[in-house]
Amino acid sequence: MMIQWLWITALHVAPKWLESLVEQLFAALPVWLTSNLTPTDATDFIVWPLLQIGVMLLIVLTVVAYLTLAERKVSAWIQVRVGPNRTGPLGLLQPAADGIKLLIKEDVIPFKADKVVFTLAPIISMVCAFIVLAVLPYGPHYASITNINIGLLFILSVSSVGVLGIILGGWASNSKYPLLGALRSSAQMVSYEAAIGLTIVSALIFTRTFSMQGIVEAQRSLGVWFILFLFPSFIVFLVSAVAETNRAPFDLAEAESELVGGFHTEYSGFRFSIFFIAEYTNMVVVSAIAATLYLGGWYVPGMDWVAAQLPAAYREAALTLMGVTAFSIKCGAILYLFIWMRWTFPRYRYDQLMELGWKWLMPAALANIVLTATIFILGKELGLVRSVKGVLEMAWQGKVFFTVAGFLSLFPILALLNAINRNSRSFNLRAQRTTIPLSTRKVKLSPGVKPA
Amino acid sequence: MHTAIPLVTHHSETLFDAEEMVLSMGPQHPSTHGVLRVILKLDGERVVDLDCDIGYLHRGAEKIFENRLYPMIAPYFDRLDYIAAVSNGLLYVETVEKAMGIEVPPRAQYLRVILTELNRLSSHLLWLATHALDIGGFTVFLYAFREREEILKIFENFFGARLTCHAFRIGGMTYDAYPEFEAQVRAFCDLFPKRLEEYETLLNENRIWLGRTVGIGVISAEDAISLGLTGAPLRGSGVDYDVRKASPYECYADLDFDIPIGENGDTFDRYLVRMEEMRQSRRIILQALDRLPDGPVLGKVPKVIRVPAGEVYHSVEGPKGELGLYLVSDGGTKPYRLRMRPASFINLAALRKMAIGSLVSDVVAVIGSLDIVLGEIDR
């Protein structure tokens, strides 16, 4: 309890203290240097964001480092092993040891590689993964770096540039396995970006905004999480998200049993670890988007009530603290799900992945847009929902209506998918696959034949 | 193995003006099970043609045999198929016993059967582990290794070695079972069915697993017979042939067990056949333990082993298929020629037929389902 109060006080006091510090600094600087800026502007637009960015980078890098440890620990529990436990207590220093190892390793650039692109590729991957962190709503007020009105579009566009890193890395290696990995990756990204984009559209019908903070606020003002209204969309998003982050069962671009290392076969040392960091950062980003869009972001029903019980001075700081905690827990849960999936499922094949993307997720997302829109208009006509200055208002009847309709819309979507997949040809046109039904087969037991 | 692919690309007659890519998969590759090199000719991801390049593990074993006394040859066999050392050792001692007409005491016969079947289990578990790993199921890999470890512990107690197990001697066994042997094997047999169910929960009805194995690497019964396939690849295609039944050796004729037969000859059927074989192996082990007679473990063997001049062929059902040994003797203390019929080598020949037209991922799955071991292929 003591520590929490200390935190709340610190969060509350820090901005004010910072402001006075900048004011003192301005008094000391020559006038021509500061003539176009007021001390408040400088704090708001330069000092405070830089501070936030620094803190955020530190936190995220630590989280990413420990995500690798979590991945190894969770996989160990799933596989009845112990996992890393030698470096530090409970293996807690393992990420540091890994980082140091990768840093001091020889940095090999293959003889025939395109050196410039080879160097550039991991940087593109990491930069794109990190830029997105700027618009994520970690919590209210000071806990998020910036809140731009096209946040969601920004994330989508930047993360599609991130794929370029993988493609370029595979291409520049001038080697066959990385090339195949890069090709797979590009095809995969094209199909899954589309599915993600489309499934987000149905969420936008309820959020009415692209701004990440706005999405959270929309859920806060309604007092519900959008997963209730948008369950089919959430599932499509989750599956596409796993594919988007190149993780098992969709880790085709780096399928180690087929393509050795896929796009990063030729990478070693710290360049490899940059790809690695980018991959895990993307995991964090994708889970943050899922948490924001469908699980209320930093909002938990009842948190406003709790904050209202506190003295007014601490209210905002307490809200921030609760928000950040809730957001971390939600992201952690989704990340755990990702790890769990990776260590449970075998790997899809290339054409099966395409099939899943174009014949399951894409139609599901499209059908969901139509259904959600229809449901929304129906709700509007019934007077269950009103839009006041871009913000939705609805009573409990409206919430119940949209929740029930959201879950019921699963059935028409499944019926559609069934129809599509029963009547269409396999993507693998020249496949050996015949019409063997995917039912459980059994072997015959024979007592054995003796030759005459 | 027969047609060499030129390592140059040329234009294929497809809709698009596409160039084919030649990809050398191996000898250092995570899923070619050792040092197999598969040269793939790819059109995009589709395999247009492929060729296997073997011999990276060639040790000249068959030539070495010609220069060793008969008892000295036995340990070399453990190093051919190092996954199934016991089966290989059994093949050799039985061939020499057959050539010399030595009677093996019943206790030794039963012990040999128990150990060979345990070895079949450990070999199949390793196959399951690597096959699942090739298809991306990493967890199954470690689960299977957990059970294999139990078997290897028994082997370590029995043979003093975990991998290159060696206790069979011409005429019987070098030593009898250790006191806790029976209890330990029984404990393992009690545990095993539950664990098998565990793997099947993860795989049998898993959509991804089915998608990756059903209809992949199909080979018809006729093709399987004409290629000379044996073991699970043959039985998966629906041919009822098992050396243990067709020409029983040791005490297999007294034991009651079934031979699992597939239907479609695809990767999934081979998987099902091997899974059922593990159940049957357990059944054999339990029966043999129940009937394990008392008595000596070593028969009457002359001090100096001389095989009478002539030719002998003997085969046993190894975990990978029919292991054959062709012994030509000139009546001396060393074989004139000892030629092995390695199951993996002949099964690998089917890879071309199975994998052409499929995708790179399928090649990996098919290699996994053939269950090859390069120590035996290259000798």
Side-chain angles (χ1 to χ4, degrees), chain B residues 33 80-83 320 344 371-378:
Chain B
H33 296 235
L80 294 180
D81 179 357
Y82 37 81
I83 308 298
K320 272 118 195 144
S344 305
D371 192 17
I372 51 164
V373 59
L374 268 292
E376 191 185 76
I377 290 174
D378 292 343

Side-chain angles (χ1 to χ4, degrees), chain B residues 117 204 338 379:
Chain B
E117 291 303 320
N204 265 14
L338 205 50
R379 278 158 291 148

Side-chain angles (χ1 to χ4, degrees), chain A residues 75-81 175-181 183-185 248-252 255-261 339-352 355-356 360 421 427-452, chain B residues 21-26 28-31 42-46 133-139 142-143 146 202-212 214-218 240 245-248 253 257-264 266 268-269 272-273 276 280 353-362 364:
Chain A
S75 72
W77 296 332
I78 291 174
Q79 295 161 351
V80 271
R81 294 185 284 125
S175 171
K176 286 171 183 174
Y177 289 117
L179 181 66
L180 279 176
L183 283 175
R184 283 179 174 193
S185 179
F250 308 107
D251 58 340
L252 293 165
E256 77 275 354
S257 61
E258 293 156 25
L259 301 184
V260 189
I339 296 175
W340 188 6
M341 276 160 106
R342 171 165 179 187
W343 299 106
T344 310
F345 294 130
R347 186 181 301 110
Y348 266 109
R349 206 175 53 201
Y350 179 61
D351 59 303
Q352 292 166 345
E355 207 154 296
L356 186 76
W360 290 88
N421 285 286
F427 258 54
N428 196 350
L429 293 178
R430 278 179 288 169
Q432 299 181 335
R433 186 139 59 105
T434 46
T435 49
I436 303 165
L438 289 181
S439 60
T440 43
R441 275 200 232 150
K442 284 221 160 68
V443 284
K444 282 182 289 186
L445 284 178
S446 140
V449 179
K450 276 191 187 180
Chain B
M21 181 169 90
V22 173
L23 179 68
S24 174
M25 201 163 114
Q28 291 100 359
H29 187 279
S31 47
L42 298 176
D43 173 15
E45 287 237 359
R46 195 168 300 280
L133 184 65
D134 290 344
I135 297 183
F138 196 88
T139 299
L142 284 157
Y143 282 6
R146 178 183 60 185
L202 277 168
L203 300 176
N204 265 14
E205 287 171 41
N206 185 329
R207 252 199 99 88
I208 304 177
W209 179 261
L210 288 170
R212 287 299 303 277
V214 172
I216 302 302
V218 181
D240 193 351
K245 289 284 190 186
S247 52
F257 61 100
D258 294 322
I259 305 300
I261 307 292
E263 206 173 326
N264 305 293
D266 58 0
F268 189 62
D269 269 11
L272 286 178
V273 164
E276 184 56 36
Q280 296 297 333
K353 193 135 202 139
M354 289 175 177
I356 283 182
S358 60
L359 301 172
V360 181
S361 316
D362 296 335
V364 169

Side-chain angles (χ1 to χ4, degrees), chain B residues 28-150:
Chain B
Q28 291 100 359
H29 187 279
S31 47
T32 51
H33 296 235
V35 284
L36 171 67
R37 176 171 170 236
V38 185
I39 307 166
L40 299 169
K41 192 193 259 181
L42 298 176
D43 173 15
E45 287 237 359
R46 195 168 300 280
V47 178
V48 181
D49 203 353
L50 70 82
D51 200 1
C52 294
D53 186 9
I54 58 169
Y56 289 93
L57 204 59
H58 180 61
R59 290 152 294 178
E62 285 173 1
K63 192 69 196 168
I64 295 175
F65 297 157
E66 293 169 19
N67 303 304
R68 295 286 183 277
L69 299 176
Y70 282 102
M72 291 163 74
I73 293 169
Y76 284 95
F77 272 82
D78 307 336
R79 282 143 185 87
L80 294 180
D81 179 357
Y82 37 81
I83 308 298
V86 184
S87 293
N88 280 37
L90 183 74
L91 169 70
Y92 174 69
V93 293
E94 280 196 351
T95 312
V96 178
E97 282 157 11
K98 192 173 174 183
M100 294 174 70
I102 296 173
E103 272 286 312
V104 180
R107 186 174 171 81
Q109 286 194 15
Y110 275 90
L111 278 175
R112 278 179 177 186
V113 164
I114 294 168
L115 290 166
T116 327
E117 291 303 320
L118 274 176
N119 195 203
R120 190 185 312 280
L121 284 180
S122 84
S123 168
H124 276 13
L125 282 171
L126 189 101
W127 155 79
L128 176 67
T130 49
H131 187 38
L133 184 65
D134 290 344
I135 297 183
F138 196 88
T139 299
V140 180
F141 172 78
L142 284 157
Y143 282 6
F145 261 60
R146 178 183 60 185
E147 272 66 78
R148 183 168 175 264
E149 187 62 30
E150 298 296 317

Side-chain angles (χ1 to χ4, degrees), chain A residues 113-334:
Chain A
D114 185 333
K115 289 187 184 58
V116 178
V117 183
F118 190 83
T119 324
L120 202 63
I123 299 173
I124 293 177
S125 268
M126 190 165 87
V127 165
C128 292
F130 273 75
I131 285 180
V132 175
L133 298 173
V135 295
L136 295 182
Y138 304 94
H141 314 298
Y142 303 113
S144 71
I145 297 171
T146 180
N147 176 24
I148 54 177
N149 57 358
I150 50 158
L152 206 50
L153 282 182
F154 177 77
I155 292 174
L156 284 183
S157 49
V158 170
S159 58
S160 15
V161 177
V163 187
L164 200 62
I166 292 178
I167 298 170
L168 287 181
W171 173 255
S173 300
N174 202 359
S175 171
K176 286 171 183 174
Y177 289 117
L179 181 66
L180 279 176
L183 283 175
R184 283 179 174 193
S185 179
S186 47
Q188 182 179 341
M189 290 302 157
V190 167
S191 24
Y192 284 81
E193 286 274 336
I196 282 199
L198 285 174
T199 195
I200 281 175
V201 171
S202 56
L204 292 174
I205 292 173
F206 285 102
T207 63
R208 319 295 276 182
T209 172
F210 275 120
S211 148
M212 295 298 271
Q213 283 288 4
I215 292 168
V216 180
E217 290 295 341
Q219 299 177 65
R220 194 180 173 197
S221 69
L222 289 177
V224 286
W225 293 351
F226 282 152
I227 186 175
L228 293 177
F229 298 170
L230 297 159
F231 190 66
S233 167
F234 177 66
I235 292 177
V236 173
F237 184 88
L238 213 58
V239 178
S240 316
V242 182
E244 177 77 8
T245 47
N246 263 331
R247 285 177 63 82
F250 308 107
D251 58 340
L252 293 165
E254 48 178 287
E256 77 275 354
S257 61
E258 293 156 25
L259 301 184
V260 189
F263 65 93
H264 61 57
T265 307
E266 302 288 348
Y267 281 88
S268 64
F270 206 65
R271 276 182 227 287
F272 165 73
S273 79
I274 288 177
F275 268 130
F276 209 67
I277 292 169
E279 188 193 320
Y280 279 87
T281 315
N282 273 328
M283 263 172 81
V284 175
V285 167
V286 158
S287 60
I289 301 171
T292 309
L293 263 178
Y294 302 99
L295 301 177
W298 48 263
Y299 168 72
V300 184
M303 71 191 293
D304 289 305
W305 180 84
V306 174
Q309 308 303 308
L310 295 170
Y314 294 121
R315 217 163 273 167
E316 217 165 78
L319 213 58
T320 310
L321 202 65
M322 281 191 287
V324 171
T325 316
F327 187 75
S328 322
I329 291 172
K330 286 169 190 173
C331 284
I334 296 171

